[in-house]
C-alpha cells in the first residue's frame, strides 16, 4: 500500500521547531547536534541505518555523518548543516547523498558545509560565541570532531531537557503519523491472531506481523518484537522467538511498527488454539479490568501514578480472590507483594522513540497534558516456579494500548486491535 503521501512532515515543521529552540537559547550561543552513524553488522555489512531521533526532530534529514549547528547572536539567528559531500563513485555503490550544494534549499537552512570541513569551519562560525549547548558521550564520533576543532566556550549547557520537553508534546502533524503507526500496528496484531495455531514457531508469527507492517508502509518495527508462548511470556523482554507454540498455551505478543519515524506499541495476549481456558480467562479478565480502569483515569489533570495506584489495587484484590495472594489487600499493597506478578510500570511516553523522552517526575506523578501520547500496559506474570495454585502456573498476560491526551479526554490510537475475549475468540475461529 502506497502511503508515501502521508509518511512525511512538511519542512516548515522542522523550521518551526528550530525557531522554538532559538527562542530558548541565550544570546551569543550555539547549539550542536550530531547525527547517528552507520553501525557494523558483520565484516563489511551494516545494520539498516536509523537516524538519531533528536537530530531528525530538528532537521528531517536521514543521512549519517552529519551535524546541525544553531547560532544565536544579538543580531541574528543562523542554521548550519554539515553533511557528506556528493561522491558519484560511492553513491553508485552505497546510495544517493543530498550533498552540500542542495542542502540549504532542501533542508531550509542558511548554510551547508562538508562534514570533512567541520574542524576548520566550526571555529570560524563560533569564534565570537560564549556558550555551547551540547551533550557529550552521545555520539563519540562527533565528540572527536568537536575536540579536534579546539574551540573553548565559557559555558556548556545540556540541550536534552529543552528538546525532550518539546518532543513530549506532539504537534497535529505528529499525531497524524502516530495514528497511522497505531493503526498499522493493530493490523499486525490482527494478522497474528488470524494465523496463530499450535506447532507454529514464534518466529513464524513474528514474520507475519512484520509482513503486515511492511505492506502498509512501515518497513521497520519500532523495537524488537516479542512473541512469547506459554511461560516465555513471563520474561518481560523475551525476544528469542524460537520456540514452537503449544496447544493450550497463551501467546503474548508485544510488537509495534515504525511509520515515518514514529512508533506504535501494542501488546495482545491470546490462546494459541483460539480458546481461553478458565484459568487463562480469569487472569486475562483481571488484567483487562485493570487496563480499562486505567484508561478511564489517564486524562488531563491526572497522572500515570494515579492510574497505576488504582491498577495495583484492582490486581491485588483480584489475585487474593483467586487464591494467588493471601492476606489483607491494604497490607499486601504496602508490602508490595504484587511485585512478584507485576514488576513493571503502567506506561511510558511514546513518540519518535518507543520509550520516548520527557520528564516524568517522581513515581510518574507528572500531570498529563494535551498532546502527550502514552502507553497503558498492565500485566500479570506467573512463572512455572511460582508458589501458586497449579492451574495458574506459566500464565503471562499483558494488554497494551496507546493513548493520546486531548482536551476532551484520551483517544485510544490502537483500539482496532481486539482485546475482548469474545472478539479474540471469534476472530481466531473465523
Amino acid at each position: 500500500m502506497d502511503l508515501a503521501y502521508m509518511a512525511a512532515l512538511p519542512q516548515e515543521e522542522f523550521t518551526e521547531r528550530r525557531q522554538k529552540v532559538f527562542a530558548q537559547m541565550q544570546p551569543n550561543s550555539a547549539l550542536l547536534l550530531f547525527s547517528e552513524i552507520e553501525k557494523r553488522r558483520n565484516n563489511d555489512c551494516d545494520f539498516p541505518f536509523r537516524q538519531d531521533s533528536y537530530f531528525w526532530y530538528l532537521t528531517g534529514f536521514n543521512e549519517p555523518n552529519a551535524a546541525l549547528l544553531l547560532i544565536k547572536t544579538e543580531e541574528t539567528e543562523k542554521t548550519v548543516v554539515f553533511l557528506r559531500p556528493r561522491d558519484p563513485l560511492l553513491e553508485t555503490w552505497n546510495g544517493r547523498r543530498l550533498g552540500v550544494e542542495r542542502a540549504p534549499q532542501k533542508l531550509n537552512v542558511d548554510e551547508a558545509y562538508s562534514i570533512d570541513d567541520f574542524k576548520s569551519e566550526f571555529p570560524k562560525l563560533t569564534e565570537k560565541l560564549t556558550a555551547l549547548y551540547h551533550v557529550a558521550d552521545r555520539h563519540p564520533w562527533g565528540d572527536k570532531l568537536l575536540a579536534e576543532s579546539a574551540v573553548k566556550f565559557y559555558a556548556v549547557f545540556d540541550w536534552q531537557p529543552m528538546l525532550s520537553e518539546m518532543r513530549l508534546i506532539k504537534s497535529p502533524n505528529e499525531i497524524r503519523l502516530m495514528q497511522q503507526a497505531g493503526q498499522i500496528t493493530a493490523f499486525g496484531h490482527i494478522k497474528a491472531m488470524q494465523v496463530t495455531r499450535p506447532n507454529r514457531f514464534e518466529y513464524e508469527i513474528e514474520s507475519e506481523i512484520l509482513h503486515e507492517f511492511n505492506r502498509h508502509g512501515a518497513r521497520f518495527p519500532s523495537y524488537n518484537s516479542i512473541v512469547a508462548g506459554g511461560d516465555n511470556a513471563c520474561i518481560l523482554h523475551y525476544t528469542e522467538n524460537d520456540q514452537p507454540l503449544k496447544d493450550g498455551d497463551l501467546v503474548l505478543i508485544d510488537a509495534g511498527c515504525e511509520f515515518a519515524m514514529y512508533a506504535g506499541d501494542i501488546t495482545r495476549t491470546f490462546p494459541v488454539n483460539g480458546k481461553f481456558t478458565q484459568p487463562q480467562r480469569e487472569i486475562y479478565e483481571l488484567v483487562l479490568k485493570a487496563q480499562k480502569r486505567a484508561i478511564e483515569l489517564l486524562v488531563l489533570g491526572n497522572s500515570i501514578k494515579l492510574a497505576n495506584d488504582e491498577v495495583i489495587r484492582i490486581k491485588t484484590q483480584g489475585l487474593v480472590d483467586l487464591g494467588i495472594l493471601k492476606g489483607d489487600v491494604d497490607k499486601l499493597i504496602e508490602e508490595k507483594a504484587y511485585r512478584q506478578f507485576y514488576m513493571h510500570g503502567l506506561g511510558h511516553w511514546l513518540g519518535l522513540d518507543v520509550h520516548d523522552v520527557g520528564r516524568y517526575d517522581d513515581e510518574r506523578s507528572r500531570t498529563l497534558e494535551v498532546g502527550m501520547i502514552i502507553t497503558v500496559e498492565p500485566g500479570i506474570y506467573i512463572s512455572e516456579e511460582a508458589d501458586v495454585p497449579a492451574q495458574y502456573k506459566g500464565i503471562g498476560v499483558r494488554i497494551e494500548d496507546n493513548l493520546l491526551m486531548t482536551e476532551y479526554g484520551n483517544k485510544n490510537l490502537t483500539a482496532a486491535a481486539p482485546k475482548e475475549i469474545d472478539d479474540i475468540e471469534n476472530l481466531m475461529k473465523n
Side-chain angles (χ1 to χ4, degrees):
M1 182 180 295
D2 183 9
L3 294 175
Y5 72 98
M6 294 184 62
L9 291 172
Q11 191 59 48
E12 293 76 18
E13 179 133 346
F14 300 104
T15 303
E16 290 170 4
R17 292 170 181 174
R18 296 195 294 268
Q19 290 303 316
K20 291 178 180 178
V21 173
F22 278 126
Q24 298 174 73
M25 293 169 60
Q26 69 179 38
N28 297 314
S29 68
L31 184 143
L32 180 63
L33 275 79
F34 290 104
S35 76
E36 191 53 86
I37 58 173
E38 293 171 313
K39 302 291 180 63
R40 185 62 49 86
R41 185 179 187 274
N42 60 8
N43 196 15
D44 59 350
C45 296
D46 293 331
F47 285 104
F49 177 72
R50 205 281 187 181
Q51 186 58 277
D52 176 274
S53 294
Y54 285 110
F55 187 84
W56 174 267
Y57 184 76
L58 292 185
T59 65
F61 183 47
N62 198 36
E63 288 188 22
N65 299 87
L68 173 69
L69 179 64
L70 304 183
I71 298 170
K72 180 177 179 178
T73 68
E74 297 286 359
E75 298 80 26
T76 187
E77 297 170 349
K78 181 189 294 186
T79 301
V80 179
V81 169
F82 293 87
L83 69 166
R84 301 175 304 176
R86 297 293 306 276
D87 186 319
L89 178 59
L90 286 178
E91 289 182 58
T92 298
W93 283 95
N94 299 323
R96 298 179 180 88
R97 298 180 178 185
L98 176 61
V100 174
E101 293 76 13
R102 293 184 294 177
Q105 181 178 5
K106 181 72 173 178
L107 301 178
N108 196 22
V109 299
D110 299 302
E111 296 177 9
Y113 299 91
S114 169
I115 192 68
D116 299 330
D117 297 329
F118 182 90
K119 288 183 288 186
S120 61
E121 295 298 332
F122 182 77
K124 299 175 188 176
L125 291 164
T126 60
E127 61 180 343
K128 296 181 180 179
L129 305 181
T130 57
L132 177 68
Y133 294 82
H134 174 61
V135 178
D137 301 323
R138 184 173 177 84
H139 294 298
W141 77 274
D143 291 345
K144 183 173 183 291
L145 283 181
L146 183 59
E148 291 173 349
S149 71
V151 178
K152 303 296 182 183
F153 294 88
Y154 290 109
V156 177
F157 303 110
D158 184 346
W159 48 248
Q160 284 183 111
M162 180 199 316
L163 293 186
S164 295
E165 286 300 296
M166 288 176 59
R167 283 175 54 184
L168 178 56
I169 307 300
K170 305 308 189 279
S171 71
N173 281 321
E174 289 180 293
I175 290 168
R176 171 175 57 84
L177 296 180
M178 293 195 67
Q179 286 177 315
Q180 192 65 28
Q183 185 67 37
I184 295 172
T185 299
F187 289 157
H189 283 263
I190 291 169
K191 184 67 172 181
M193 293 177 190
Q194 292 172 326
V195 301
T196 293
R197 62 178 183 269
N199 300 319
R200 295 201 76 181
F201 279 83
E202 293 164 337
Y203 58 75
E204 292 184 77
I205 309 307
E206 179 184 17
S207 71
E208 299 273 10
I209 294 167
L210 295 179
H211 175 258
E212 198 70 6
F213 290 171
N214 280 193
R215 79 184 195 91
H216 286 96
R219 186 179 171 197
F220 299 109
S222 52
Y223 53 95
N224 293 327
S225 302
I226 298 168
V227 182
D231 192 47
N232 293 335
C234 298
I235 303 170
L236 298 183
H237 291 157
Y238 173 84
T239 55
E240 286 87 346
N241 298 352
D242 61 357
Q243 296 300 304
L245 296 169
K246 299 176 182 177
D247 194 358
D249 279 351
L250 295 176
V251 57
L252 183 157
I253 297 179
D254 188 338
C257 81
E258 181 174 277
F259 180 76
M261 298 290 286
Y262 287 87
D265 184 7
I266 295 177
T267 306
R268 291 293 185 264
T269 309
F270 54 91
V272 171
N273 63 13
K275 190 73 175 176
F276 286 86
T277 66
Q278 185 59 31
Q280 291 169 352
R281 179 182 289 265
E282 290 167 352
I283 299 300
Y284 188 93
E285 287 179 339
L286 178 54
V287 175
L288 184 59
K289 177 182 178 181
Q291 200 221 24
K292 286 180 176 179
R293 179 59 179 149
I295 290 173
E296 290 176 354
L297 293 172
L298 289 168
V299 294
L300 302 187
N302 288 345
S303 66
I304 295 174
K305 180 184 184 304
L306 182 147
N308 193 44
D309 287 346
E310 183 73 6
V311 162
I312 288 169
R313 179 163 294 278
I314 290 169
K315 289 201 280 193
T316 302
Q317 180 66 64
L319 291 170
V320 169
D321 293 343
L322 294 174
I324 294 171
L325 285 175
K326 294 179 174 61
D328 176 73
V329 170
D330 289 332
K331 187 168 181 58
L332 290 168
I333 292 173
E334 181 183 348
E335 295 172 347
K336 294 182 168 54
Y338 59 86
R339 292 285 292 176
Q340 60 184 306
F341 306 116
Y342 174 47
M343 61 289 291
H344 58 76
L346 179 63
H348 53 79
W349 308 134
L350 187 67
L352 285 170
D353 299 330
V354 68
H355 293 139
D356 209 31
V357 296
R359 179 175 49 82
Y360 282 108
D361 293 342
D362 295 341
E363 300 181 312
R364 308 208 169 182
S365 58
R366 179 171 181 168
T367 299
L368 297 172
E369 304 171 37
V370 172
M372 292 177 172
I373 297 180
I374 61 174
T375 67
V376 52
E377 48 182 305
I380 291 177
Y381 315 91
I382 308 172
S383 75
E384 294 282 4
E385 289 76 35
D387 183 16
V388 302
Q391 67 266 33
Y392 300 116
K393 290 177 180 285
I395 294 178
V397 174
R398 183 165 64 251
I399 306 170
E400 178 182 20
D401 284 296
N402 306 159
L403 304 181
L404 165 67
M405 296 299 112
T406 80
E407 59 185 307
Y408 307 108
N410 64 53
K411 179 178 181 180
N412 189 343
L413 304 180
T414 51
K419 61 183 176 182
E420 298 291 343
I421 285 179
D422 287 347
D423 292 338
I424 291 172
E425 291 184 343
N426 288 333
L427 176 65
M428 297 186 72
K429 179 173 63 177
N430 295 327

